[in-house]
Amino acid sequence: MTAAKHQTSGAGSAGGGRGRDDERRPISIAAVIDVVGALATGALHRNLYLYDTGKAAGSTGHGTEQLRTVVRAGDQLLWSAIPLECEAYLAIDAVEIDPSVCEPIRKIYPGTDISYWTGTVKKDAIPATPYRIAFLLGSRNEPMVTELSPLLAWER
């Protein structure tokens, strides 16, 4: 796995040149984190809850650290972080995944300093591909990285 880190660009469109598939919406992957709990324990384990918008397509593991997101070539993925405590600082520092599958880049919502990560699935492949997310929390200097790997999995 390689880290996609510090590549920044402005927000763009979700479109692609795939005929009927142009109507597909991006798959949003949200990381909800109990920032106070993670800082107190020094770990994301039991303080990280992953969700995606692909449940109807077969994604599993919602609300756990081991989300399995069902994807296919051409799908656009959008990773975002949501703190449970509204005053707590939380941001994604990197999304680490096999670059032959997806190369996430950091983007900023226009007119804000709020970042998110996006990438397009390059190919259909089996087996499922694990990835890791590094987060910046509170005033901690070092990122915290997911301990259990979420997966990108392919439709059959």
Side-chain angles (χ1 to χ4, degrees):
M1 274 190 265
T2 61
K5 195 169 181 177
H6 304 297
Q7 298 175 9
T8 306
S9 67
S13 70
R18 295 173 27 124
R20 290 181 47 209
D21 288 340
D22 283 346
E23 297 176 17
R24 280 195 285 165
R25 294 179 183 221
I27 298 171
S28 294
I29 300 170
V32 179
I33 296 180
D34 178 350
V35 174
V36 173
L39 291 171
T41 62
L44 290 172
H45 185 61
R46 296 192 176 158
N47 294 300
L48 169 64
Y49 312 93
L50 295 169
Y51 297 89
D52 71 21
T53 56
K55 193 170 190 175
S59 293
T60 59
H62 291 92
T64 73
E65 299 170 57
Q66 294 180 294
L67 178 66
R68 181 181 179 274
T69 301
V70 173
V71 298
R72 62 184 183 194
D75 282 344
Q76 184 179 18
L77 306 177
L78 187 148
W79 287 271
S80 61
I82 304 166
L84 279 180
E85 302 81 15
C86 62
E87 294 89 20
Y89 176 76
L90 173 63
I92 296 174
D93 187 51
V95 177
E96 302 169 356
I97 190 167
D98 179 344
S100 71
V101 173
C102 183
E103 292 185 71
I105 58 170
R106 182 177 181 263
K107 294 188 176 185
I108 306 291
Y109 287 107
T112 75
D113 61 355
I114 300 170
S115 65
Y116 63 99
W117 288 73
T118 186
T120 301
V121 177
K122 295 180 178 182
K123 62 183 180 180
D124 289 323
I126 293 177
T129 301
Y131 66 93
R132 299 179 343 148
I133 308 171
F135 297 95
L136 297 174
L137 290 88
S139 59
R140 181 183 167 109
N141 292 329
E142 292 297 316
M144 296 180 89
V145 180
T146 51
E147 297 168 37
L148 303 174
S149 289
L151 299 169
L152 295 184
W154 284 261
E155 298 176 321
R156 292 182 188 234

